[in-house]
Amino acid sequence: MMLKSSAADLRAPKTENIHADLVIAGGGLAGTCCAITAARAGIRVILVQDRPVLGGNASSEVRLWILGATSHMGNNNRWAREGGVIDEILVENTYRNPEGNGLILDTILFEKVLLEPNIRLLLNAAIYEVEKSASDRIRKAIGFCSQNSTRYELEAPLFCDASGDGILGFLSGAAFRMGAEAADEFDEPFAPSAEYGGLLGHSIYFMTKDVGKPVNYVAPAYALKDITQIPRYRKFSTKDQGAHLWWIEYGGRLDTVHDTEMIKWELWKVVYGVWDYMKNSGNFPEAETMTLEWVGLIPGKRESRRFEGPYMLRQSDFVQQRHFPEAVSFGGGGGDLHPADGVFSEKPGCNQYHSKGVYQIPYRCMYSRNISNLFLAGRIISASHVAMGSSRVMATCAHGAQAVGMAAALAVQNGWLPDDLLEPARMHRLQQELLKTGQYIPHVALDDDRDHAKKARIAAQSTLVLSEIPFDGGWQALVYGAAQVLPFGAGPAPRFEVELLAKTATRLTVSLRISSKSGNFSPDLTLATRHIDLAAGENRLALDFDTAIPRSDYGFLCFHENEAVSVRSSEARISGILSVFNKHNRAVSNFGIQQPDPGLGFEAFEFWVPVRRPDGYNLALRIEPGLEAFGAENVVNGIQRPVHGPNAWVAALEDPEPELLLSWTEAQQIQRIDLAFDTDFDHPMESAIWGHPERIMPFTVQEYHIFDDHDRLLHHCEANHQTLNRIELASPVLTASLKIRFRRPTSQAPVAVLSLRCYGPE
């Protein structure tokens, strides 16, 4: 039936009024992870996204890889992949989508949101108006969906702006900044000059495909005609596509909010002009059978508004790794600034320097200083331009947003505003609730009085004593320095035995190093050095450094560069140890050593970084006495990843089905069991372009059984690939013990468990 009507007055669109506990503007990774965290914590969430997909710059609309503190494995941040919901998403994407298809990532993000009954998702809906109940408080956010011609009035006690450009904060009157601060405001030597420019631009990527037959290309009239307008045009290669061309950037001299459409057109001109150059210049004969498969329809944004919280993160915070009592998140990406002229600049595409380790991000950066019920998440958190150069990367944004989601849940449940959580006992509770979800906060451990596992006697059927990394691998040539990272105890350094292969008689330098700051993985403190004369051929060598390890922490057995020498490697993959190499990773401005101008405020140090699997083997060693850092007590120590040590129970390498036994003097009621497994926190799991050799990490336990004190089976998992397994029993079980039997992941990788918690009924 067709309805026909007329009206003398103006019509209003259909309007829907929705009430919730938390309204989140922006469905990028930050908003998505914030919403999932809050919903799982028990509050009602409205997630408003002005695009048809979730994920923002990670979505199929932009296709930038998700990256955070791991920095493509190119810095010294070991085991630094973000935890919690963003880890769950990255692990799931690697399992389903190791090739990095942006469309598959879209479906994973949709699935994670749609599985949460407490989330109401509004796609294609843009916030355009705010109503306030007081000068410092938002009452309503009003949005409009172009696809269903519906106006939404969204009311809640708390709001979160995760929109990237900060539309909700802007409309509400929240204090914000745009453009770089002067160097003296926060004592930031890295602050850019006016000539370099104080805003990062946008990027649009393109992807190509070889179809196996000649393909013609006629460029649109608006395409860039003169490729030499791009000073680095000789860097273009048909092997590079997508986010590898991050330096196709523009807009840093413009208003990166209101000039976005103008910036987009300029980037389209560049992209289509670049492809015209590749197809039709004659300089790329391999491009004859290639076609342009995809060009981004919207630009990926790096920077626009930054909002002011009670505290602004600054350069010294991440360089000095400053501690905050209200830390709820962490970062670790390099301080990364780009010239404002972007692709048209004569300068390098980025200017990036790293700190020696990860740094805390305080809660005070995550809510507005003048709008009392407004949280901040994503790249708009309270940070200087320089600090945002590190904190803006997507996994870091998502990780911080998880803290916002949990803070909002606690606030709603207790009638608090964001600022109220700064009270020490409340902040401790927030930190503890985050840690239970798998969130990692440097220097903060989980200590949950409700956890029955903490009160149990814990025994293991077998435990690794690392006396040997088997001599069953190939030879690793020392074309650059190689080191084995090992968890040492305080006291006399162990003795080592290694196998070396020398092409000719030569001298090799070997050193024993640690990090000057506990918990870091920059080997900047040498304990002892040996210069060893090798005969041509195979050498079986004993190393005794005759020194002491000053503290229980990770150390580095370093074999320094000598192209005439190779060291024997091992096929074994063991949780909590890895090999690193004094090599470059130009993707993150790592050239083997960081030697900044002393006036820029960054430290000089060497990079010792892993090699991606299927390479990156451990170095074969005998160790006397064996290292005893892998005990069962680690599963309840509250640290759920390697930091100062493995923080994992690792079974003996030869044990195919080891068991953990928890026992109590009195029977306990158990209804929930949380297990955390090793999904290799050192692996960045980039969501696009890079690709991954495995769907399931080689350390990850896939099958296990849980039994009560009468050997009754409570739970059987046979196909795990995730980090955190939360087992909810149908009804509470009264038992004086729990036995968990694990199946070894592979013959080269022993069973490892990062944490184990047990809870009674709520």
Side-chain angles (χ1 to χ4, degrees):
M1 177 180 180
M2 180 175 291
L3 297 176
K4 296 182 179 180
S5 63
S6 60
D9 297 325
L10 296 174
R11 293 189 177 97
K14 175 186 173 183
T15 297
E16 186 175 351
N17 295 280
I18 311 174
H19 293 257
D21 299 312
L22 174 67
V23 172
I24 302 170
L29 272 189
T32 299
C33 289
C34 180
I36 293 169
T37 302
R40 289 178 179 176
I43 66 172
R44 297 169 300 137
V45 179
I46 301 168
L47 179 59
V48 191
Q49 166 70 325
D50 62 0
R51 306 300 306 166
V53 291
L54 297 168
N57 283 349
S59 74
S60 61
E61 289 194 309
V62 179
R63 305 192 186 188
L64 176 61
W65 48 60
I66 300 170
L67 199 62
T70 51
S71 205
H72 293 309
M73 294 167 67
N75 60 18
N76 288 347
N77 299 340
R78 300 283 60 81
W79 293 291
R81 193 177 72 240
E82 292 70 17
V85 175
I86 185 57
D87 174 67
E88 181 183 324
I89 288 167
L90 289 169
V91 172
E92 194 65 35
N93 186 65
T94 302
Y95 176 70
R96 299 190 195 182
N97 181 31
E99 302 80 17
N101 184 329
L103 296 171
I104 303 301
L105 177 61
D106 287 348
T107 67
I108 291 169
L109 295 176
F110 278 137
E111 178 181 275
K112 292 292 182 188
V113 168
L114 295 176
L115 286 174
E116 297 300 330
N118 282 336
I119 299 177
R120 171 76 184 271
L121 175 62
L122 303 177
L123 294 173
N124 295 304
I127 300 295
Y128 69 90
E129 188 177 343
V130 163
E131 291 183 9
K132 296 166 78 173
S133 58
S135 62
D136 70 340
R137 189 168 299 197
I138 302 169
R139 184 172 74 91
K140 254 184 209 181
I142 301 170
F144 181 76
C145 176
S146 60
Q147 297 302 296
N148 62 10
S149 195
T150 299
R151 180 175 180 266
Y152 295 106
E153 294 193 2
L154 311 174
E155 192 165 355
L158 295 172
F159 293 80
C160 173
D161 194 331
S163 65
D165 282 343
I167 184 62
L168 186 59
F170 176 79
L171 292 172
S172 71
F176 75 93
R177 298 179 178 212
M178 200 162 171
E181 288 80 11
D184 60 358
E185 181 170 358
F186 297 119
D187 189 20
E188 295 181 305
F190 196 46
S193 65
E195 187 263 337
Y196 191 83
L199 271 176
L200 305 181
H202 304 349
S203 286
I204 280 180
Y205 308 129
F206 68 91
M207 303 190 80
T208 60
K209 181 179 180 180
D210 193 325
V211 298
K213 62 181 181 180
V215 177
N216 292 323
Y217 175 70
V218 178
Y222 53 80
L224 180 71
K225 300 297 188 294
D226 180 7
I227 197 67
T228 65
Q229 290 184 39
I230 298 174
R232 286 168 286 156
Y233 74 93
R234 291 183 181 86
K235 288 188 65 176
F236 287 117
S237 165
T238 54
K239 296 179 181 178
D240 290 334
Q241 60 174 317
H244 281 141
L245 293 170
W246 56 266
W247 53 275
I248 296 181
E249 178 178 354
Y250 181 71
R253 300 283 182 196
L254 301 173
D255 180 335
T256 52
V257 176
H258 300 104
D259 291 336
T260 287
E261 283 293 293
M262 183 192 311
I263 294 168
K264 176 193 73 178
W265 276 105
E266 191 64 32
L267 287 166
W268 273 348
K269 292 176 186 178
V270 170
V271 164
Y272 289 108
V274 167
W275 186 240
D276 187 29
Y277 167 62
M278 289 185 175
K279 284 290 290 184
N280 298 321
S281 68
N283 295 332
F284 305 90
E286 70 277 12
E288 183 183 10
T289 58
M290 296 175 70
T291 188
L292 189 60
E293 186 175 43
W294 172 84
V295 175
L297 296 178
I298 61 170
K301 294 190 176 188
R302 290 181 176 87
E303 181 182 15
S304 53
R305 301 179 181 112
R306 293 173 288 108
F307 286 79
E308 295 182 3
Y311 183 79
M312 292 194 75
L313 197 70
R314 57 207 65 183
Q315 179 180 349
S316 59
D317 293 333
F318 70 85
V319 174
Q320 298 172 15
Q321 301 171 267
R322 184 165 292 146
H323 289 196
F324 296 92
E326 81 282 15
V328 290
S329 182
F330 75 96
D336 182 19
L337 302 184
H338 297 194
D341 295 314
V343 71
F344 298 116
S345 175
E346 298 279 354
K347 296 178 172 61
C350 74
N351 195 14
Q352 182 173 187
Y353 293 100
H354 298 263
S355 60
K356 286 185 175 181
V358 299
Y359 60 90
Q360 295 180 336
I361 300 178
Y363 174 71
R364 283 178 294 156
C365 296
M366 298 180 183
Y367 60 96
S368 169
R369 69 169 175 81
N370 69 309
I371 300 297
S372 63
N373 63 340
L374 177 63
F375 286 104
L376 307 169
R379 62 180 167 85
I380 69 169
I381 66 168
S382 183
S384 71
H385 172 75
V386 169
M388 186 223 60
S390 172
S391 65
R392 67 183 172 84
V393 289
M394 277 190 284
T396 302
C397 289
H399 195 253
Q402 293 165 189
V404 167
M406 187 63 73
L410 292 177
V412 166
Q413 291 158 2
N414 292 279
W416 299 334
L417 289 171
D419 194 61
D420 294 331
L421 276 89
L422 281 179
E423 191 273 324
R426 295 171 182 175
M427 180 51 55
H428 176 74
R429 183 178 171 191
L430 171 59
Q431 292 169 329
Q432 294 293 301
E433 293 299 323
L434 287 168
L435 294 171
K436 290 178 195 176
T437 69
Q439 184 108 341
Y440 174 57
I441 308 171
H443 311 290
V444 183
L446 177 59
D447 185 14
D448 186 359
D449 290 336
R450 293 183 56 250
D451 176 13
H452 294 316
K454 287 180 65 66
K455 301 174 285 188
R457 179 181 177 272
I458 303 177
Q461 175 179 290
S462 71
T463 296
L464 175 69
V465 176
L466 191 63
S467 57
E468 181 179 78
I469 306 175
F471 289 78
D472 58 1
W475 293 101
Q476 172 66 52
L478 296 176
V479 291
Y480 31 70
Q484 185 63 42
V485 182
L486 297 166
F488 293 122
R495 297 175 296 280
F496 304 96
E497 192 174 307
V498 298
E499 288 184 2
L500 300 166
L501 178 64
K503 295 178 183 176
T504 62
T506 186
R507 173 167 281 196
L508 177 67
T509 300
V510 185
S511 64
L512 188 62
R513 298 181 172 189
I514 61 172
S515 294
S516 57
K517 181 177 287 188
S518 181
N520 277 1
F521 293 89
S522 293
D524 53 355
L525 184 59
T526 300
L527 301 178
T529 301
R530 296 288 180 266
H531 303 287
I532 301 156
D533 292 319
L534 300 175
E538 291 192 24
N539 294 257
R540 190 85 168 195
L541 184 68
L543 292 170
D544 189 342
F545 287 95
D546 190 26
T547 189
I549 309 292
R551 61 178 185 263
S552 293
D553 208 343
Y554 276 103
F556 297 70
L557 178 61
C558 303
F559 300 85
H560 294 265
E561 178 184 340
N562 184 329
E563 295 191 17
V565 179
S566 297
V567 60
R568 175 78 75 182
S569 67
S570 177
E571 296 283 340
R573 306 283 192 182
I574 300 172
S575 293
I577 69 169
L578 47 68
S579 59
V580 292
F581 302 85
N582 183 210
K583 66 188 295 289
H584 64 267
N585 184 328
R586 291 189 175 91
V588 293
S589 299
N590 162 5
F591 300 97
I593 187 170
Q594 178 168 286
Q595 294 177 303
D597 181 322
L600 291 179
F602 291 95
E603 295 179 89
F605 59 92
E606 293 176 347
F607 290 98
W608 289 76
V609 299
V611 173
R612 288 175 184 258
R613 288 189 299 274
D615 299 317
Y617 294 100
N618 288 306
L619 306 184
L621 296 172
R622 284 204 174 90
I623 306 165
E624 175 63 36
L627 304 178
E628 299 185 6
F630 304 92
E633 67 278 2
N634 287 338
V635 300
V636 292
N637 74 1
I639 306 172
Q640 302 170 90
R641 65 177 61 204
V643 181
H644 306 93
N647 295 311
W649 165 62
V650 181
L653 184 57
E654 65 275 10
D655 192 342
E657 289 193 338
E659 295 178 353
L660 270 182
L661 180 66
L662 280 70
S663 55
W664 296 272
T665 54
E666 297 180 358
Q668 306 290 317
Q669 274 203 321
I670 305 295
Q671 186 159 26
R672 193 182 99 202
I673 302 164
D674 289 355
L675 285 161
F677 297 109
D678 183 1
T679 53
D680 187 6
F681 283 115
D682 209 62
H683 192 325
M685 293 188 172
E686 297 95 338
S687 56
I689 296 294
W690 286 76
H692 306 288
E694 309 127 336
R695 298 173 64 229
I696 302 175
M697 298 301 103
F699 313 98
T700 306
V701 170
Q702 298 175 49
E703 183 175 7
Y704 58 92
H705 298 74
I706 304 177
F707 303 91
D708 70 3
D709 56 2
H710 289 86
D711 253 4
R712 290 178 295 221
L713 181 66
L714 302 179
H715 181 75
H716 175 212
C717 174
E718 57 184 348
N720 173 57
H721 57 271
Q722 273 290 348
T723 308
L724 181 61
N725 284 211
R726 178 157 289 174
I727 300 114
E728 297 274 2
L729 302 178
S731 58
V733 172
L734 187 66
T735 181
S737 68
L738 286 176
K739 181 174 67 178
I740 311 177
R741 181 183 301 141
F742 305 91
R743 185 178 294 278
R744 186 174 57 191
T746 73
S747 60
Q748 285 80 39
V751 163
V753 179
L754 297 178
S755 73
L756 168 60
R757 301 190 296 275
C758 306
Y759 297 96
E762 293 289 341

